[in-house]
Structures are given as structure tokens and as C-alpha cells.
């Protein structure tokens, strides 16, 4: 089976604010999306990388350098949807229809947020290595280290953090399993939720803090630190 990367990049970044969607903000002079794409283009196991942007996106052609856009193993699909799940589902369909690719039902797809520019080829290789023999698939995630509180109904309780993990991406599943799970799922914020709802059990592989999702303005400085190589 081969490995494909699918990068949803069709969000508007409402929590970040500002006119430019966060995946097009620059870190060390390089757009976040380019950092993210580079991690996959520099991973030899990845057969093809596809980025999903919205139909009206006016940034992607400038954000991705000519040396990336010239690569035969990179595609940009303008089929983003209203939700991340829709963008991913549309991207999976576009992958299937890409001439010459002939994606098989049991090929792997690694879905990764455009907004996680700190991903490295080493983390991708670690995920692939640990999940390749797994029956279902898996994802990068981090054990919770803080004390967790639930505030509800006028009370505050402490949630035992034993067994609690924070999901990251990539999330890696077989093509057909992932399509079917997404089609059956209602609202999900990641692929693994759809897999779990289908009664399957994904493998959690320890990720890294540098693979943070850029969500709020305060995330930019930390992401900048990681991608500039001063910290890993
Ligand atoms: N995404 C997408 N299509 C959408 C919504 C999100 O492809 N309709 C992508 C984003 O571009 C991002 C990833 O999914 O790379 C993770 O989503 P998130 O961090 O929530 O990004 P946004 O939805 O853009 O941000 P916000 O929720 O703050 O608006
Ligand atoms: Mg969002």
C-alpha cells in the first residue's frame, strides 16, 4: 500500500482574526502552508501530497513556491467545503479522480492540518512506522500534562488526566475505511472521531509539542520558534 498526504487548507481562521487566513501568514518569511507542505515533500515514503483550498482562494499560487508547484507529486484541489470534514471528504474524492494515481482502497491517507507548520519528516516517518501494521490506523497525539477542570451546571470538577490525550495530526487511515467512516459520521472535528464512531479503535502515537496547531494570535510566536529551528 502507498501513502498519500491530504492537507485541508480551506479554513478562514476566525479565531486568529485578521484579513489573511492563518495558513497564509508567514513564519521566517515562508507561508505556514509552505512549511506544512514541505514536511511531506521531504518525506520519501509519501507518494503524493494534495492540498485542499476553497474555490475562491486567492493566496495559494503565491504561497506555494514555484519549486513546489512544479512537482508532479503535489496537487492543489479547489474543493474546500464549509467544514473541515467536508474539505477532507471532497479532497478524498478528488484524490480518487486524479489521473494516473489510481488510489487503491487499502492505500493509506495521512490527513494533516495546514495550520500545523511544525510537523517534520521524522514525525511523519514515526507515525507511518508505528501504524503501517495496524488494522485500523492512527494519529499523532500528546498526553495531557495539565490538571483538567470541567465547569458545568454550577459546579467545578477535576477530570482525572489518566488516559487523556490531545489529538494532533497527521491522522492516518486506509482510504476506503476513512471515506466510509466520514460518510457515516455527523459532526466531527477530526478523522479519528469518525473512526471511533464507527466502532473502530485507532492507535495513538506520541507526537511532539512542535506540531502545535496555530489557532490564536498567541500561537504564532511559538510556531515561529519551532520552524526557525531554534527549538525542537
Ligand atoms: N479547514 C478546511 N476547511 C474548513 C475549515 C477548516 O480545510 N471549512 C482546515 C483549516 O484550513 C486548517 C484545518 O482545517 O488547516 C484545521 O482547522 P482550524 O484550525 O479550525 O482552522 P480554521 O477553521 O481556519 O480556523 P477557525 O476555526 O478559527 O475559523
Ligand atoms: Mg475551524
Amino acid at each position: 500500500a502507498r501513502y498519500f498526504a491530504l492537507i485541508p487548507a480551506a479554513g478562514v481562521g476566525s479565531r486568529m482574526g485578521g484579513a489573511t487566513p492563518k495558513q497564509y501568514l508567514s513564519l521566517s518569511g515562508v507561508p505556514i502552508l509552505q512549511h506544512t507542505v514541505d514536511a511531506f515533500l521531504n518525506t520519501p515514503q509519501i507518494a503524493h501530497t494534495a492540498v485542499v483550498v476553497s474555490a475562491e482562494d486567492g493566496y495559494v499560487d503565491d504561497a506555494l513556491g514555484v519549486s513546489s508547484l512544479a512537482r508532479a507529486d503535489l496537487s492543489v484541489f479547489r474543493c474546500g467545503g464549509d467544514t473541515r470534514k467536508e474539505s477532507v471528504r471532497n479532497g478524498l474524492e478528488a484524490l480518487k479522480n486524479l489521473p494516473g494515481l489510481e488510489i487503491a482502497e487499502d492505500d493509506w491517507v495521512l490527513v494533516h492540518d495546514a495550520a500545523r507548520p511544525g510537523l517534520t519528516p521524522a514525525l511523519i516517518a514515526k507515525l507511518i512506522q508505528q501504524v503501517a501494521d495496524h488494522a485500523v490506523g492512527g494519529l499523532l497525539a500528546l498526553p495531557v500534562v495539565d490538571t483538567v477542570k470541567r465547569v458545568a451546571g454550577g459546579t467545578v470538577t477535576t477530570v482525572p488526566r489518566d488516559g487523556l490525550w490531545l489529538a494532533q495530526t497527521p491522522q492516518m487511515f486506509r482510504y476506503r475505511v476513512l471515506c466510509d467512516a466520514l460518510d457515516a459520521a455527523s459532526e466531527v472535528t477530526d478523522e479519528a472521531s469518525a473512526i471511533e464512531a464507527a466502532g473502530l479503535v485507532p492507535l495513538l502515537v506520541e507526537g511532539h509539542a512542535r506540531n502545535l496547531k496555530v489557532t490564536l494570535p498567541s500561537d504564532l510566536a511559538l510556531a515561529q520558534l519551532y520552524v526557525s529551528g531554534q527549538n525542537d
Side-chain angles (χ1 to χ4, degrees), residues 11-15 22 84 213:
V12 295
S14 52
R15 286 170 289 182
K22 62 188 180 183
R84 181 182 177 285
K213 183 160 69 71

Side-chain angles (χ1 to χ4, degrees), residues 104-133:
E105 308 255 294
D106 68 341
D107 280 336
W108 292 102
V109 183
L110 284 74
V111 181
H112 180 69
D113 297 323
R116 295 184 184 272
L119 184 68
T120 59
L123 279 169
I124 297 170
K126 179 182 181 182
L127 178 70
I128 287 177
Q129 196 245 319
Q130 293 197 29
V131 173
D133 294 327

Side-chain angles (χ1 to χ4, degrees), residues 7-17 21-23 32-33 36 52-54 80-88 112-116 169 189 213-216:
I7 304 176
V12 295
S14 52
R15 286 170 289 182
M16 180 64 68
K22 62 188 180 183
Q23 58 272 30
I32 283 178
L33 180 62
T36 306
V52 178
V53 301
S54 69
D82 288 341
T83 64
R84 181 182 177 285
K85 180 192 159 186
E86 276 180 57
S87 296
V88 169
H112 180 69
D113 297 323
R116 295 184 184 272
T169 66
T189 55
K213 183 160 69 71
V214 174
T215 306
L216 302 169

Side-chain angles (χ1 to χ4, degrees), residues 11 28 48 50 56 61 70 72 76 85 104 120 134 148 154 163 166 172 183 185 188 195-197 217 222 230:
S28 296
H48 198 91
E56 58 274 14
D61 294 326
V76 176
K85 180 192 159 186
T120 59
H134 193 266
V148 179
L166 301 172
M172 165 181 168
D183 288 343
V188 292
I195 295 289
E196 296 151 19
L222 191 54
Q230 292 164 34

Side-chain angles (χ1 to χ4, degrees), residues 2 11 20 31 42 45 51 73 77 134 146 151 161 182 209:
R2 293 167 299 170
T20 306
N42 293 326
Q45 294 94 321
V51 178
D73 59 351
F77 299 145
H134 193 266
D146 291 330
V151 181
R161 66 169 174 251
L182 288 174

